[in-house]
Amino acid sequence: MIKHAHGKKPKSILATDLDGTLVGSRTAVYDFNRHMIKNMNNFLLVYITGRVFASAWQLITKENLLYPDVLITDMGTEIYIAPHFGLDQGWEQRMRSAWDAARVQNLVQGLEGLQVREIRSRFRLSLHMDRVVSNNTLLRLHKAVDRAELPVKIVPVSAGAVDLIPVCAGKGLALCYVQERCQISKEQTFVCGDSGKDLSMFIKGFKGIVVGNARPELKNALKFKTREVYFSKSYYASGILEGLKKYGAV
Ligand SMILES: [Mg+2]
């Protein structure tokens, strides 16, 4: 079971994206940190990011973020556990058995309009799409994935970029794994995000907090889920706090 670095079982999970959600305003982070330190025994703090581990860690130190209890990186393909931030072996095993890097690379080779971006993640292939033909390219990629019957899924990253990751990975599923291992209920699990890349966290039955500065794509995708999602007016970390207060969690 995943516990606090100091050994106690927390009551709730606070899981947040970094760029554009927790990170964006330094004064808001300062305020957020103060609140979290005061409520430290209540929360398991989870950061979930598309960044690779080294880059996430750089951001944590540069922006004076609190050290998390769990750090989920690479779009939900790697899970690191405090205090030593070693890889969670159970999750690692799942990713290894689902991912065949050579076959995934073969799959995209020869598909027109797609270029592999620098490979930095072990269980993720990031692709650039030629913008002019991106709709067709995406369709061809979907077809190629179906044909190959590989257990991978296509995750949109931005207008001209997608990731291929194991079908059992992703921000939402990685958080479900952590939440189950902590034996904390979904009602006591709060998720915070600002963009379409966070959407998978908001459709798993957790309590959602969309920060005020969130992109329209996330707000639109969740506009009919007002019972499970709170739309903060405040931006960045202040938006997280506003949501937690609304839910009565702080
Ligand atoms: Mg973000």
Side-chain angles (χ1 to χ4, degrees):
M1 189 167 70
I2 300 168
K3 285 184 187 159
H4 260 156
H6 50 81
K8 287 209 183 92
K9 183 175 185 267
K11 199 174 98 206
S12 310
I13 294 173
L14 175 60
T16 178
D17 166 55
L18 295 178
D19 296 271
T21 307
L22 181 59
V23 175
S25 154
R26 289 209 156 179
T27 49
V29 164
Y30 179 78
D31 202 29
F32 172 87
N33 286 353
R34 248 176 1 110
H35 270 84
M36 288 311 289
I37 289 166
K38 223 166 64 190
N39 291 281
M40 203 181 276
N41 291 334
N42 293 339
F43 287 104
L44 189 93
L45 185 59
V46 181
Y47 294 159
I48 308 190
T49 175
R51 289 175 180 245
V52 298
F53 180 85
S55 160
W57 202 255
Q58 226 172 27
L59 188 72
I60 288 169
T61 46
K62 187 175 130 237
E63 298 294 329
N64 290 321
L65 308 182
L66 295 174
Y67 288 174
D69 297 297
V70 179
L71 176 59
I72 301 175
T73 64
D74 297 85
M75 226 56 201
T77 59
E78 298 196 349
I79 300 178
Y80 297 86
I81 311 288
H84 303 297
F85 292 96
L87 281 164
D88 182 280
Q89 288 306 318
W91 188 254
E92 178 77 6
Q93 214 44 55
R94 276 193 205 187
M95 295 301 109
R96 276 180 198 275
S97 51
W99 188 250
D100 184 334
R103 280 190 70 195
V104 179
Q105 285 200 44
N106 265 341
L107 176 92
V108 298
Q109 247 161 32
L111 278 182
E112 200 194 327
L114 275 178
Q115 295 96 40
V116 176
R117 287 157 76 196
E118 189 191 355
I119 301 170
R120 292 190 297 167
S121 301
R122 292 175 309 148
F123 308 115
R124 165 189 180 189
L125 190 67
S126 299
L127 302 166
H128 266 310
M129 285 188 299
D130 195 332
R131 284 204 180 201
V132 188
V133 290
S134 63
N135 273 343
N136 284 335
T137 309
L138 195 57
L139 198 67
R140 275 202 302 275
L141 181 60
H142 272 285
K143 280 188 180 155
V145 167
D146 285 347
R147 246 196 331 267
E149 291 182 355
L150 278 176
V152 297
K153 60 183 171 190
I154 302 164
V155 185
V157 175
S158 62
V162 291
D163 279 351
L164 287 179
I165 59 172
V167 79
C168 54
K171 286 185 165 188
L173 289 175
L175 182 58
C176 286
Y177 173 84
V178 169
Q179 173 250 326
E180 279 161 24
R181 281 203 54 202
C182 296
Q183 298 172 2
I184 292 172
S185 70
K186 290 198 165 178
E187 292 71 42
Q188 285 299 331
T189 301
F190 304 95
V191 298
C192 317
D194 76 303
S195 82
K197 289 180 274 179
D198 304 317
L199 183 60
S200 67
M201 297 196 285
F202 286 92
I203 49 175
K204 297 284 187 289
F206 304 128
K207 294 261 166 69
I209 300 169
V210 172
V211 291
N213 56 288
R215 305 234 185 100
E217 83 248 9
L218 184 66
K219 289 182 175 171
N220 287 336
L222 296 172
K223 68 180 168 202
F224 298 117
K225 289 199 162 273
T226 46
R227 272 189 18 211
E228 302 114 276
V229 179
Y230 176 74
F231 295 87
S232 288
K233 283 158 205 71
S234 326
Y235 285 16
Y236 307 113
S238 305
I240 300 176
L241 277 181
E242 183 187 323
L244 288 176
K245 282 178 190 157
K246 190 77 190 171
Y247 284 121
V250 289

